[in-house]
Amino acid sequence: MTDTALPPIPASPLDARRWEHTRLRRRLLEGTWERDLVERLELHLGTVRRQAWGVPDLSSNPFRIICRELSALYMAAPDIRHTRSPDRAEELIAGGGIIARTGLWATMQRFQALVIGCREYWQRIHVSEDGRLTYRPVPPDMTVAYAAEDRPDYPLAVHELRLRHSLTGGAPVWTWDVLDIRNPEYPEYRVYLATDTGRFGEDVSLGYLGGDYSGDAYPYRRADGRPILPYVLYHAERIGDRLFDAYEGMEVVEGSLNLAVAYSFLLHVLKDASWPQRYAVGVRPQGASLEGSVSGARMEIITDPATILQFEAIDEQQPLIGQFQAGADAAALEATTAAMANRLAQDAGLSPTDIARLGGSARSGYAIALTNEGKREAQR
């Protein structure tokens, strides 16, 4: 079986590429992107310079801020009405009804931010034996789906990768939940073990579902008997010609990582290069120590405006000690990175006049807020 720490990749290379990029977006939205920033720093700098910079700066993430700012449709619980059968639907949609008691509206604002950021997101509805509803967000990077030929954005089959408890009591195992209504006369609901290549393994439907729920036993149907999928696919934007629009706005994703590289450099400048650099001729410093890992080992001496460096002469000539100007202009660098953050907001489709700055400086790029009019325009 596969390693439970990491899910298997899908069999299709196109789906595998889509999963990889969507997971990057999710890590940026969920605050687990430090490893991505470290890898980006090493691509730009190499191992030795990367380690010399120290801890990366994770304080700037315009991609997440923009998605959160635009997620405002569920700030208050919606008022739901059913025009055809208002009395029959009251138990389900009323303020204290079944849907409200599930906590759906409390989670939908964060869910909308995930939809905006990942471009699509699934919501799966579960119904317990006592009629209780559960709404479970499903990431698009854990699903493979197939659409109708004449409605390319309408799913008819969903394969969801899920981590389940082992039927034999061992380590958890990856499984595929397969729901397929492409043949309405014989809809399918099965569970298969996932192989290392992302294909279907053994059919374990009986163990996990407790029976065969395909064909006439398929449980998800309309009142007239037509089968449906227990999933809702939310789109950030309807384009009509495909199910997944995973790469739209990737410039803001890449720009957010590069901006974090720039802010990490700014932090490095403030720590290590914002005062005049000293130099010496005819002497060598004392007290150097070996720092870094095997791949990035270097000799290092701690310098600071408050420290005193010790030197020893290397020959009989007169030593010369002086200093250069500061290694970098921190104020100019901060202004440049702030302009980069502003440009990212514009690349996300926001008007420059709708971007307000938060903080003590009008040029601050750490926090981006949108005016109410900008939010309404982006939501429309």
Side-chain angles (χ1 to χ4, degrees):
M1 275 305 299
T2 57
D3 182 0
T4 56
L6 293 173
I9 61 174
S12 168
L14 295 178
D15 283 322
R17 183 169 174 264
R18 173 177 64 82
W19 281 24
E20 181 181 6
H21 180 69
T22 302
R23 285 174 182 170
L24 170 60
R25 292 180 178 234
R26 277 211 295 140
R27 289 192 295 270
L28 285 167
L29 292 170
E30 295 171 357
T32 57
W33 56 288
E34 181 177 2
R35 184 65 245 174
D36 299 289
L37 177 55
V38 170
E39 292 176 355
R40 183 60 59 94
L41 285 167
E42 291 182 351
L43 286 175
H44 281 289
L45 306 170
T47 305
V48 176
R49 289 183 63 199
R50 150 71 192 99
Q51 293 188 5
W53 279 24
V55 179
D57 187 351
L58 297 169
S59 62
S60 175
N61 186 350
F63 176 66
R64 178 181 181 275
I65 294 171
I66 290 169
C67 293
R68 286 282 187 171
E69 283 290 315
L70 295 180
S71 176
L73 297 182
Y74 296 93
M75 296 182 69
D79 181 17
I80 308 176
R81 298 173 184 173
H82 195 291
T83 56
R84 293 184 180 179
S85 304
D87 296 334
R88 294 177 58 188
E90 190 70 13
E91 182 181 358
L92 181 67
I93 65 176
I98 296 175
I99 293 179
R101 292 199 301 270
T102 64
L104 175 63
W105 308 127
T107 63
M108 283 302 288
Q109 187 173 4
R110 184 175 185 273
F111 181 83
Q112 187 192 6
L114 292 170
V115 174
I116 294 171
C118 297
R119 305 302 299 167
E120 285 85 25
Y121 226 86
W122 299 90
Q123 190 88 266
R124 176 160 182 185
I125 298 90
H126 296 271
V127 183
S128 63
E129 294 182 356
D130 60 357
R132 182 171 301 178
L133 291 177
T134 302
Y135 296 88
R136 179 171 61 87
V138 178
D141 55 271
M142 298 294 280
T143 61
V144 175
Y146 301 91
E149 294 180 357
D150 55 347
R151 296 180 64 185
D153 61 344
Y154 183 75
L156 291 179
V158 179
H159 303 168
E160 181 192 349
L161 192 62
R162 296 183 65 182
L163 188 63
R164 294 179 180 269
H165 295 292
S166 173
L167 295 174
T168 60
V173 295
W174 288 103
T175 64
W176 287 102
D177 277 22
V178 176
L179 294 100
D180 191 335
I181 61 171
R182 284 176 289 187
N183 179 4
E185 302 300 323
Y186 192 84
E188 295 186 60
Y189 181 18
R190 302 184 186 276
V191 178
Y192 298 91
L193 292 179
T195 65
D196 292 324
T197 59
R199 300 183 184 278
F200 297 161
E202 178 186 354
D203 187 338
V204 289
S205 303
L206 182 61
Y208 287 110
L209 301 181
D212 184 358
Y213 286 96
S214 297
D216 292 338
Y218 186 79
Y220 305 108
R221 298 179 181 271
R222 296 184 184 275
D224 58 6
R226 288 180 297 164
I228 59 174
L229 294 174
Y231 292 88
V232 178
L233 180 59
Y234 287 78
H235 298 274
E237 180 182 11
R238 294 296 297 272
I239 56 176
D241 65 345
R242 73 199 78 169
L243 276 176
F244 300 107
D245 189 29
Y247 305 104
E248 172 67 25
M250 68 177 301
E251 299 83 2
V252 181
V253 176
E254 290 294 307
S256 294
L257 280 175
N258 289 331
L259 184 65
V261 171
Y263 273 119
S264 296
F265 180 56
L266 174 61
L267 184 61
H268 170 57
V269 166
L270 293 173
K271 293 187 302 179
D272 304 320
S274 58
W275 62 85
Q277 176 65 52
R278 297 168 181 84
Y279 63 87
V281 179
V283 295
R284 59 170 168 255
Q286 294 179 329
S289 59
L290 185 64
E291 299 290 341
S293 63
V294 175
S295 61
R298 64 192 182 278
M299 298 301 295
E300 182 176 279
I301 295 177
I302 298 176
T303 62
D304 188 83
T307 63
I308 299 177
L309 298 180
Q310 297 183 3
F311 296 89
E312 60 179 351
I314 58 177
D315 51 37
E316 295 182 356
Q317 70 178 10
Q318 180 67 30
L320 174 63
I321 298 178
Q323 70 178 24
F324 297 112
Q325 295 299 318
D329 186 340
L333 181 59
E334 196 278 338
T336 301
T337 51
M340 291 172 60
N342 189 36
R343 187 196 68 191
L344 285 177
Q346 295 180 45
D347 288 345
L350 307 176
S351 170
T353 59
D354 292 326
I355 301 173
R357 297 296 182 185
L358 299 179
S361 170
R363 303 181 69 88
S364 173
Y366 277 88
I368 296 177
L370 305 180
T371 63
N372 290 333
E373 182 59 31
K375 290 181 183 180
R376 285 190 288 269
E377 180 63 27
Q379 290 161 8
R380 283 193 291 268

